[in-house]
Amino acid sequence: MRTATIVVATDGTSSSLAAIRWAAREAARRAATLRVTHVIDWQHGEARYDLDGGDFAASRRIAEGVARTGAALAREVVPDLPVKIDILVGNPAARLLSQAGDADLLVLGSRGRGGFASLVLGSVSQRVAMHAGVPVVVVRGRGDVTDGPVAVGFDDSAQSEHALRTAFELAAARGAPLAVIRTCLPVLTLFMGIAAANVLTPEEDAAERLRLEEQLAPWRELFPSVQVEALLSYDSAAAVLSGVSHGAQLVVVGSRGHGTLAGTLLGSTGLQLLRHADSPVYLDRQAA
């Protein structure tokens, strides 16, 4: 039987250490092996390693120390957790993407330095989140919070349906409630700046809420232990999910969306969440 694998990137910064703690707890839930990965960055202007100075062996020892410190932290969080260490050399985003190929989940901190050469959104984390073929979690905000609901943005797309299933599974594994958020933005609000509340009638609003409840009914039956709150909002998906993240332990978004969550990945809802959410963000990926 194949053992699930979670890859977590570390460069020794506080952000990456928060990612390791989160990843260790998630690995325990999934009975997965955790791979703590450090990339020695070849980009000389940004890396802390002088690979041209002939002391690569010393640089690798430093890198191994960073990775072993991360592995030790993971075992502090979850004793006896199966942990492996990977030391890679090259462009951080490219090497992490190659590592993600046989992983079930890739976990990153929201920003970093040194081996991950300014790991800020728009750099390594953005490229990995955009191109990884597996689910990606970016741990930011209150990364160590383990209470509160799981939140998910939901529209009518197939990708969003997959994200909804993922969110139910994550909530069930945590024994957490689930907040399902649909934003109701009619076309007029997008192109003419008209407030949705001034477009939808009370009857239309009631119909939207009923439709959402009907769509959630089979999922409630499939996951009876999960307490579900369905929320219909007239604000943007990014604004609503960012607001909910302040009380949530995790926010889930699909890799792409249509309808009310158009362009969910990056450049819209996903990108804004990776910049502003106050909790870890789970970017769901549907297997090809």
Side-chain angles (χ1 to χ4, degrees):
M1 179 181 295
R2 177 183 177 275
T3 300
T5 300
I6 294 176
V7 173
V8 59
T10 182
D11 61 2
T13 60
S14 59
S15 178
S16 70
L17 296 180
I20 288 172
R21 292 191 292 269
W22 191 96
R25 291 190 291 267
E26 187 64 17
R29 293 187 189 98
R30 301 185 184 203
T33 296
L34 184 66
R35 289 212 316 255
V36 178
T37 301
H38 180 82
V39 181
I40 302 176
D41 192 352
W42 59 263
Q43 299 181 55
H44 310 294
E46 296 176 332
R48 62 181 171 185
Y49 302 101
D50 181 12
L51 300 185
D52 291 330
D55 199 12
F56 179 71
S59 297
R60 185 176 178 87
R61 285 195 296 271
I62 294 172
E64 288 176 349
V66 171
R68 292 187 188 284
T69 297
L73 174 60
R75 292 192 182 100
E76 285 181 17
V77 175
V78 181
D80 300 322
L81 180 70
V83 181
K84 297 181 179 179
I85 293 173
D86 285 318
I87 307 298
L88 308 176
V89 180
N91 177 277
R95 298 299 283 133
L96 285 172
L97 288 170
S98 69
Q99 280 291 90
D102 60 349
D104 297 273
L105 181 68
L106 179 58
V107 183
L108 302 167
S110 59
R111 59 181 65 242
R113 294 187 298 277
F116 282 133
S118 300
L119 182 56
V120 296
L121 199 61
S123 173
V124 176
S125 57
Q126 180 171 327
R127 293 197 296 273
V128 172
M130 180 177 291
H131 297 295
V134 300
V136 175
V137 173
V138 177
V139 177
R140 53 169 294 114
R142 300 167 303 109
D144 285 327
V145 173
T146 56
D147 57 0
V150 172
V152 60
F154 178 60
D155 61 23
D156 294 323
S157 68
Q159 293 86 353
S160 182
E161 189 82 6
H162 189 274
L164 183 63
R165 171 183 283 277
T166 296
F168 266 97
E169 291 171 347
L170 291 167
R174 288 162 168 74
L178 177 64
V180 180
I181 294 116
R182 165 173 281 159
T183 59
C184 188
L185 297 177
V187 174
L188 287 175
T189 69
L190 299 176
F191 295 101
M192 299 180 63
I194 300 174
N198 296 329
V199 174
L200 295 187
T201 66
E203 292 76 16
E204 290 171 329
D205 176 90
E208 283 291 332
R209 295 180 187 278
L210 177 61
R211 187 166 73 94
L212 177 56
E213 289 293 344
E214 290 174 344
Q215 290 174 313
L216 291 178
W219 294 104
R220 292 180 189 268
E221 292 183 10
L222 191 60
F223 294 90
S225 66
V226 177
Q227 178 183 348
V228 182
E229 181 180 11
L231 303 172
L232 185 68
S233 173
Y234 297 119
D235 208 339
S236 71
V240 176
L241 290 170
S242 293
V244 169
S245 74
H246 290 274
Q249 61 175 288
L250 184 65
V251 175
V252 181
V253 290
S255 59
R256 294 187 182 276
H258 303 288
T260 55
L261 286 177
T264 293
L265 180 52
L266 291 175
S268 60
T269 303
L271 179 58
Q272 292 183 59
L273 283 171
L274 294 183
R275 288 175 171 169
H276 303 297
D278 192 40
S279 68
V281 178
Y282 189 111
L283 297 172
D284 189 50
R285 294 288 193 276
Q286 186 169 1

